Amino acid sequence: KNKKEAKQNAAKQALIGLKLQDPNESSTSGQPNGQLNDSVSSISDKMTKMNMSSKETNFIGIINHYCQKTNRHHDFMLVRKTGLSHCPIFFYKVVIDGKEYPEGEGKTAKEAKQNAAHLAYETLQEQSDWNSQVSFRSAASEDGTPSSFSRPQSTWFTSEFDSIERLGRGGFGRVYKARRKLEERFFAVKIVRFKEKARREVGALAEFQHPNIVRYYTAWTEPSEYKSDSSSESDSTSQSSSDSSAQYLYIQMELCDKKTLKVWIDEKNTQRRDHKRREEGLVIMKQIVNGVVYIHSKRLLHRDLKPANIMFGREGEVKIGDFGLVTTEDNESDENLIERTKRTGTKSYMAPEQKSHSTYDRKVDIFALGLIYFEVLCNISTHQERAKIWDDIRGQKLPTGFSLKFPQEHKLITSMLCAMPEDRPEASKVKTELELISLCFSNLLISRTP
Ligand code: ATP
Ligand code: MG
């Protein structure tokens, strides 16, 4: 796109050309050809070290993606293998629909394939349909289906964003606050290993448009995972790749407040008497339930509702996040859930059937909501106390006094915690019940005893 980039690519082609012209790689360095090879090797080594972004870019992935998008058949063909047995040199070329692309060389088959893919990529870029198939696209395609894509730069995140600061680390991903230089605005960027689970997460997020669900902007993949310097939370340009075959999905979302509902509950629990807790809790619950009604209307289940996954927007409005376990009502596969069950701590928000059965429905979210509502209202001062009563709560045995203090909420919560999913109310019914409780508040029909 500019002279420097074109020169850089031309120089690289020339170096590769020079190397390919002389297959006597092992000739002694005193001879002219050897000298040429030595200098070419050392220059290309230096170049590779300098040009890390080119080395880290997953060109194999880009070619695979391109061929998949354009319905082209492709193969990586081993052209020859030279060198001594302990240090072989592989030559591969990409063949797409019968057309052969330049040979790539490497010390391993993977390296040679990657170089061949790089050369094919450069040739293909000149083709008319390259941009429309592979270049940056908006997060949702014309039919509204979300898409993720490989950007031919591994450091997209660090080149486009600055002021990167870690916000949180969950079971599967890291979340950063980062400023996009173009818009000069802050976003949250979640980075996860690119697996089916991650694809589902962006797929659902891109479909949602609701004031109580965290807003999704876009997603892209990179071959390495950004990791901030652990000694400082502030901006760091370190980019590390823990597994060379892995792809990482970067999910750009709206930035929410650092304070999650978990923090809100913990803060409330440190205050002895808070007259506003009940009313504020109701406002929060109504918004969470609004979001859940919307999710269920799309025939999806969140499956991981818990205070740490409920955030707040700029105006204090509820934002449901972490759709890492989202699934359709018809989805059978539960590998992710099993993985999650192993990772979760002692305090679980999972419905009983979610732990033991492979089939369940949207009512798992209602069970979690019941537990959340209880925690939002009840002052539990220590973690030990919570651990002690948690199993009882899950079994609909709420502490003595709770039903006296919160009679309507008690009734609603116990219905939400029914062992049988079919006995639990639908999200829309919970919404109506909360509105009724709200009405009672505004009509002062229930006492506001501390
Ligand atoms: P998973 O549950 O799939 O393993 P996770 O728990 O690793 O995912 P999230 O729950 O999405 O990831 O995020 C972890 C934490 O990062 C959250 O608890 C929250 O503190 C913070 N966070 C996530 N998304 C945002 C956001 N959009 N704005 C601000 N903070 C966020
Ligand atoms: Mg989470």
Side-chain angles (χ1 to χ4, degrees), residues 132-147:
S132 63
Q133 298 299 340
V134 181
S135 64
F136 310 161
R137 291 182 295 131
S138 66
S141 57
E142 274 156 28
D143 63 0
T145 46
S147 59

Side-chain angles (χ1 to χ4, degrees), residues 167-175 188 190 197 201 214 253-258 260 304 306 308-309 311 321-325 340:
L167 284 175
R169 193 189 166 170
F172 284 89
R174 285 187 171 82
V175 182
K190 179 171 175 176
K197 171 187 132 58
E201 183 168 359
V214 67
M253 303 171 276
E254 79 173 288
L255 179 67
C256 298
D257 198 327
K258 267 188 183 167
T260 62
D304 200 15
K306 59 182 178 184
N309 289 339
M311 295 173 288
D322 195 353
F323 285 80
L325 269 191
R340 172 63 55 93

Side-chain angles (χ1 to χ4, degrees), residues 7 26 52 99 131 135 168 180 194 255 278 302 310 324 347 364-366 370 392 400:
K7 280 183 185 171
S26 55
M52 284 307 283
K99 183 174 179 336
N131 278 338
S135 64
R180 177 106 198 259
F194 190 21
L255 179 67
R278 191 180 190 182
H302 185 287
I310 312 271
K347 194 156 56 77
V364 296
D365 288 340
I366 305 297
D392 282 346
T400 339

Side-chain angles (χ1 to χ4, degrees), residues 208-215 254 287 290-292 294 319:
F208 296 149
Q209 202 181 345
H210 191 275
N212 299 122
I213 293 175
V214 67
R215 183 171 165 196
E254 79 173 288
Q287 295 181 47
N290 272 345
V292 174
Y294 178 82
K319 298 278 175 183

Side-chain angles (χ1 to χ4, degrees), residues 353 361 363-364 366-367 396 411-426 429-430:
E353 73 276 15
D361 60 10
K363 295 293 182 67
V364 296
I366 305 297
F367 190 89
Q396 294 178 299
K411 199 167 155 238
L412 177 58
I413 292 169
T414 42
S415 73
M416 293 165 86
L417 297 176
C418 280
M420 304 301 285
E422 58 273 26
D423 296 336
R424 291 173 213 148
E426 292 287 349
K429 172 91 167 99
V430 178

